[in-house]
Amino acid sequence: MTDLRVNVTALTKDYGSNHVLKEIDFKVADNEVVVLIGPSGSGKSTLLRCLNKLEEPTSGTIVIDGQDISNPQTDIDKARENIGMVFQHFNLFNNLSVSENIALAPVELGKMTKEEAQVKAHELLKMVGLDDKFDAMPASLSGGQKQRVAIARALAMKPDIMLFDEPTSALDPEMVGDVLKVMKELAQDGMTMVVVTHEMGFAKEVADRVVFMADGNIVEQGSPEEVFDHPQNERTKAFLDKVINI
Amino acid sequence: MKKLFSLFLVLTGLITAGLMAQQQPEQAQASKTYVIDTDVTFPPFVYANDKNKYVGIDMELIRTIAKEEGFKVKIRPIGFNAAIQSVSSGQADGMIAGMTITDERKEKFDFSTPYYSSGLVMAVSPKSKIKALTDLKGQKVAVKTGTAGADYANSIKDRYGFTTVTFDDSDNMYNDVKNGNSAACFEDSAVLSYGVKIGLALKIVTKPTNPGSYGFAVKKGHNQKLLKMFNEGLAKLKKNGKYDQIINKYTGSKAVSKKKQNAKESHTVMGLLKQNKKVFLSGLAETVKLTLISIVFATIFGILIGLLGVVPNKFAQGFSAVVIYIFRGLPLIVLALFIYNGIPSLTGNKIPAFVAGVVTLMLNEGAYIAAFVKGGIEAVDKGQMEAARSLGLPFNKAMKRVVLPQGIKIMVPSFINQFIITLKDTSILSVIGLLELTQTGKIIIARNLEGFRVWAIVAVIYLIIITILTLASKGIERRIND
């Protein structure tokens, strides 16, 4: 069990009388790439946001890297240093340049000196193909560029796990490929990833496991072949019919 | 944020220290120096002469009596209503301001033996056909708030079928009659005679009636020694003839001709400006000082309270919301009077008017600043905070490095706006007797009755400093946005 990066048991999340997550059990192994799919309102983004406690769970335990982050005693800031997150709307810091976006957290948290962070920023920007944007301000970037910088920013903290919350949903179609390519490379390098996405092609190609959620429950999960080619549950079938067959 | 907080504490400490420093000499010499409040808009009893010295019957009496009896007085020209309140709350030891002795006032004050008896007269515009009270049916009558004239008018208005319009100072009351909005006004005979003599275009049509007596007042049951000295001194002055000299000086024909000359010199804008240059400058200096100090405190207070409103702590958020609700909700004038008069009544500690003024503006303008600081921070996309926190940055660092820099840009125009409002709001502090620009204007007008020209000068001065303040703020805004 020690190679479990994520171990969630009996996680529930209520907004008043609205039960968004219903006793979810969810595990992610080291190096595993898990893709969460499902109709909107199924709770997949909420589950993802509970994994770094951007959402406060109503009950249940969330253990990340052996640390129980659902325990209020746990230093959540410390835990988050190891959990990178990429948002649908990028959320680049608008007041900071691209390199400052990347260097802010490592320098503020004493992980790197300013010089080291500069080197790291160059290295990461090269990786996502944007080294020429080193001094650019976020407002001057396209959506796809912003999202690649956001990935670089998350990676600068050298996390063990990366969470992706619909990373391509806000992008123009021609930008999606660049972002998926970076994510694919990350997966190939062995990063543990949990991805909420509507990109079924990406899921098929990259995911080790696909999890289908509906109404706050995990309805079905398995390898991409199992879920996409031989779905067992009627709801999964109905969902896939709508998303894939156009 | 901690740095800000300690800065706030230091500044609060400084204010308190200043307060103590101003208080101590008063306490140390309590047996000798008395604080006497007055209203310097009531010639010929109390007014500021063209050299801005406080003169008039009341002033000469209190000073001469003090000399006779061996005590000192510190005169504060804070206005009639403010004087009443500061004496009853213990901020001042006594007041002398042409105050009529009434049974109602006797419940709160102990009065000296009367030092002047006067009657009320009615004045109308020179062309008016009104000659007697019976002509007032269906008309409006102008009165000045808190005066015996107002009480008299209200007591007879039903009998004679007129209505009253209340003004805060004599000049506005006279103007209302001159303009024909009101048919007549009631005022003390000595006061109205003075006005007519210096060129007020009204005529007095009735004989003095309803005689009233003016007295020096202390808070009921307090400062009895001072009251006794006043009475003894007054008796001495009446005996040795000095009393008659003083009365003659201000109501006799000699005084009038002298004043007429003075008055002629200063009825143009340039003349007024030249003659009152010193007074205007000191009023302007007070307004600027008050504005700048208040802006600093209100900004610090506002940012602190605004930040408390966004920290993830229910208690802090609630505290911030309540502070904003209370101090934004209270009218500035109520807050000023409460702090200046109310707090000393509760605690027994005097507050200098300037400190009370700064505290008032800090709380009121600060509450507005807090509201837009909070709003500015909340206007920054929530994703910015989430992204910063997701990287492991603690709340304070995320706020300082990511959210605040963006929020401040949103807030800058509101800050500039609030600074200008603060400058204008200092004028309201004339109610607690601060001699700032507006109060200065009132005092000058009380002497020369040149309302229109003096207010025009005051207005232009305000516009000039607002322009300077705006330009300075815009400069800062440009620097922030670069």
Side-chain angles (χ1 to χ4, degrees), chain A residues 49 52 54 77 80-81 83 85 87 91-95 104-105 108-109 153-154 157, chain B residues 381-395 397 401-403 405-406:
Chain A
R49 288 164 59 83
N52 67 352
L54 284 183
D77 293 326
R80 281 175 181 154
E81 292 178 7
I83 312 170
M85 185 153 195
F87 299 85
N91 299 346
L92 289 186
F93 306 136
N94 299 317
N95 55 321
L104 178 69
E108 282 287 323
L109 297 172
R153 177 177 69 179
M157 287 299 291
Chain B
D381 180 25
K382 281 203 167 55
Q384 298 284 311
M385 178 55 97
E386 283 192 346
R389 299 303 306 274
S390 81
L391 290 164
L393 289 170
F395 177 85
K397 280 189 175 160
R401 296 301 310 273
V402 175
V403 178
Q406 297 180 52

Side-chain angles (χ1 to χ4, degrees), chain B residues 461-475:
Chain B
I461 297 177
Y462 271 116
L463 284 178
I464 292 171
I465 30 180
I466 280 173
T467 308
I468 295 171
L469 187 65
T470 311
L471 290 176
S473 308
K474 294 274 180 199

Side-chain angles (χ1 to χ4, degrees), chain B residues 345-359:
Chain B
S345 320
L346 293 175
T347 64
N349 286 325
K350 295 178 185 177
I351 299 179
F354 189 84
V355 175
V358 169
V359 172

Side-chain angles (χ1 to χ4, degrees), chain A residues 44-93:
Chain A
K44 42 191 201 309
S45 277
T46 307
L47 171 59
L48 191 79
R49 288 164 59 83
C50 282
L51 297 184
N52 67 352
K53 252 187 142 181
L54 284 183
E55 297 290 345
E56 195 72 34
T58 306
S59 66
T61 53
I62 302 164
V63 178
I64 307 283
D65 280 339
Q67 201 179 15
D68 181 3
I69 65 160
S70 46
N71 182 345
Q73 308 296 327
T74 306
D75 181 355
I76 188 64
D77 293 326
K78 206 81 195 146
R80 281 175 181 154
E81 292 178 7
N82 287 321
I83 312 170
M85 185 153 195
V86 175
F87 299 85
Q88 179 178 359
H89 295 288
F90 333 123
N91 299 346
L92 289 186
F93 306 136

Side-chain angles (χ1 to χ4, degrees), chain A residues 125-147:
Chain A
L125 284 174
K126 264 177 209 147
M127 190 194 108
V128 300
L130 288 172
D131 199 28
D132 57 324
K133 299 293 184 190
F134 191 83
D135 289 318
M137 293 304 284
S140 69
L141 303 181
S142 73
Q145 290 170 332
K146 281 182 188 168
Q147 196 60 299

Side-chain angles (χ1 to χ4, degrees), chain B residues 78 82 333 336-337 340-341 352-354 356-357 360 428-434:
Chain B
I78 71 171
I333 193 164
L337 291 171
Y340 185 61
N341 297 305
F354 189 84
T360 303
I428 294 173
L429 297 177
S430 58
V431 293
I432 56 169
L434 280 175

